[in-house]
Amino acid sequence: MRKLNKYIAFALLLALVSFTSCSSDTIESKPAKIDIPKISNQSEALLNLFTNSGDYINGVSSPYLISAEEVNDDKSNFLLIDTRYHEDYVNGHIDGAINVDREMLIDFLKSVNIYQYQKIIIIDNTGQAAAYITSMLRAIGYGSTYAMKYGMSAWSSKVPNQWAKNVNNKYANYLTSEPTKKPKKGAYPTIETKGRTISEILEIRAEEEISYNFAVTIDKLIENYDDYYIVNYISESRYNTKHLKGSVWYQPKKSININTDLSTLPTNKKIAVYCYIGHNGASLTAYLRLLGYDAYSLRFGANSFMYNFARSNKWATYNASDVVMNYELVIGDVPSKEKKAKANTIINPDLNFKHHEVVLPDPSEVCD
């Protein structure tokens, strides 16, 4: 009986092999198509992501600054990215700094092994655009990014100092101690991108906003005062002492959150954010623009219109004698004077900087 069963099993196996080998039909293998539903409320999705993944804008170390002294002490371990105009870079930059256009920055970072560096340092003229860019990059996952405080104005006295000519005391008649109440909570902005996943949406938003002219000067703000909802982003006690008329106080690292006062910001009006020196304001402005708010940072913060008052009351102010170092500058296109330096090996003409004729804008409109 056992032998019979074996013969039957063997015969069936031969029949199966014969059938499959003689068949002219082939079985086509098609990749599985996964249809990812599009996120309907993209702004709210970003908000939830930020809130549930560290809330970086309200982090203890926000706005993630690093001093020129710290950069100088450890620059060989940092990826130094200089986002200034190419002409400024050629006239003098930090040894090892690579000149990258803001529009190309995200693609550039994708092309580099960033894990060989302890930190990514963003460098500009004054630190404000660097704080804006740093905020954008941290939002999309580059958590080791820092802005060099005060920019190249702090690196060397040989670099044209934009801080010295922009601290001011005008518009004293626009100052008051009378508070302005926050409006009632309302809706969040609506954004629409082609992204289907939250990471796609976030990167698209960052690519759209990273090179935006995000700042407003005090002169432009005063000239168009009624067009702006003004956010005062300093301590409450100092807000109560003196602030721009009509400005509304928001507590740094707390108020701008889905669970607190974020929804009191208008979605139908420009928002001007000001802090002490512009770094916090620029960082917050980047966050708000990612979410779809029409936000702008006041260049040089309160230093641009109430410098003497701020200094006499020991607020954060720019002071060249405390800030400006005299570190070495490298002249020319090449990142480092050391031929074998790591920075010299990762230059990519397609990603570093647009080598075209640059038409310089009105200095008052430059976001640096």
Side-chain angles (χ1 to χ4, degrees):
M1 187 68 178
R2 287 183 178 177
K3 287 185 178 181
L4 180 61
N5 287 339
K6 287 181 180 180
Y7 290 139
I8 293 171
F10 184 67
L12 288 172
L13 180 62
L14 284 175
L16 179 62
V17 171
S18 176
F19 173 78
T20 55
S21 61
C22 294
S23 175
S24 59
D25 295 333
T26 58
I27 300 173
E28 293 185 9
S29 176
K30 294 182 180 180
K33 185 178 181 181
I34 302 174
D35 187 19
I36 302 173
K38 193 170 183 179
I39 296 172
S40 58
N41 191 328
Q42 296 189 358
S43 184
E44 191 170 310
L46 289 185
L47 266 174
N48 289 327
L49 173 69
F50 291 147
T51 303
N52 298 323
S53 59
D55 196 20
Y56 84 95
I57 200 65
N58 295 308
V60 175
S61 301
S62 180
Y64 309 100
L65 305 176
I66 188 169
S67 69
E69 187 175 9
E70 290 175 282
V71 172
N72 184 63
D73 289 346
D74 212 12
K75 60 180 180 288
S76 62
N77 292 314
F78 299 156
L79 175 57
L80 306 176
I81 300 177
D82 191 323
T83 61
R84 295 176 299 156
Y85 284 117
H86 192 60
E87 290 84 348
D88 294 336
Y89 174 84
V90 170
N91 289 334
H93 60 267
I94 300 172
D95 190 14
I98 302 168
N99 194 204
V100 185
D101 187 279
R102 283 164 61 180
E103 291 181 15
M104 302 178 179
L105 188 48
I106 294 174
D107 285 338
F108 174 79
L109 288 172
K110 289 178 181 178
S111 74
V112 177
N113 176 16
I114 61 172
Y115 301 105
Q116 62 185 313
Y117 302 96
Q118 292 178 6
K119 295 176 181 176
I120 300 169
I121 310 299
I122 306 299
I123 303 159
D124 65 351
N125 284 311
T126 69
Q128 295 166 88
Y132 178 85
I133 294 167
T134 293
S135 183
M136 289 270 175
L137 293 179
R138 280 186 169 261
I140 61 174
Y142 292 97
S144 61
T145 308
Y146 295 82
M148 192 168 85
K149 191 174 183 180
Y150 298 115
M152 288 300 290
S153 294
W155 187 261
S156 171
S157 58
K158 295 178 182 178
V159 175
N161 191 317
Q162 295 193 25
W163 275 93
K165 61 185 179 182
N166 280 289
V167 295
N168 216 301
N169 299 294
K170 55 185 176 180
Y171 303 118
N173 58 322
Y174 275 81
L175 298 179
T176 184
S177 58
E178 291 295 319
T180 299
K181 290 184 178 180
K182 293 181 181 70
K184 292 180 180 180
K185 292 185 176 182
Y188 295 114
T190 300
I191 59 173
E192 187 72 27
T193 73
K194 293 181 179 179
R196 288 193 170 272
T197 66
I198 191 65
S199 58
E200 287 178 357
I201 294 167
L202 189 51
E203 185 164 322
I204 290 170
R205 291 295 297 143
E207 288 173 343
E208 290 172 345
E209 299 292 345
I210 199 165
S211 59
Y212 192 81
N213 192 355
F214 68 93
V216 61
T217 64
I218 185 61
D219 291 334
K220 293 288 185 183
L221 178 62
I222 297 299
E223 183 183 336
N224 303 283
Y225 211 67
D226 292 337
D227 294 343
Y228 289 90
Y229 177 85
I230 304 174
V231 170
N232 177 291
Y233 203 57
I234 65 175
S235 72
E236 186 176 19
S237 61
R238 289 174 174 174
Y239 170 79
N240 290 332
T241 303
K242 242 9 164 206
H243 57 264
L244 283 173
K245 288 180 181 178
S247 63
V248 183
W249 176 71
Y250 287 78
Q251 185 175 349
K253 303 182 184 182
K254 186 173 182 180
S255 286
I256 305 301
N257 182 278
I258 194 170
N259 298 315
T260 48
D261 301 315
L262 178 61
S263 62
T264 63
L265 296 176
T267 59
N268 59 350
K269 194 173 186 178
K270 292 180 180 179
I271 299 170
V273 181
Y274 83 89
C275 59
Y276 298 113
I277 55 177
H279 296 84
N280 259 307
S283 180
L284 178 58
T285 294
Y287 177 83
L288 294 177
R289 293 202 68 85
L290 284 173
L291 294 174
Y293 289 98
D294 191 15
Y296 300 83
S297 177
L298 180 62
R299 292 186 76 211
F300 306 99
N303 278 226
S304 69
F305 63 89
M306 54 186 298
Y307 179 77
N308 286 348
F309 180 87
R311 188 158 179 76
S312 64
N313 284 276
K314 298 185 177 174
W315 295 11
T317 53
Y318 171 83
N319 185 21
S321 62
D322 297 333
V323 171
V324 181
M325 304 296 175
N326 278 299
Y327 295 135
E328 183 182 13
L329 291 170
V330 173
I331 310 299
D333 283 292
V334 181
S336 177
K337 61 183 180 180
E338 302 293 335
K339 291 184 179 180
K340 295 183 179 180
K342 194 187 298 182
N344 292 346
T345 67
I346 59 175
I347 299 175
N348 186 333
D350 295 325
L351 294 176
N352 281 30
F353 198 88
K354 290 187 201 174
H355 292 281
H356 56 68
E357 184 179 354
V358 177
V359 179
L360 298 178
D362 183 325
S364 69
E365 300 298 329
V366 175
C367 300
D368 47 20

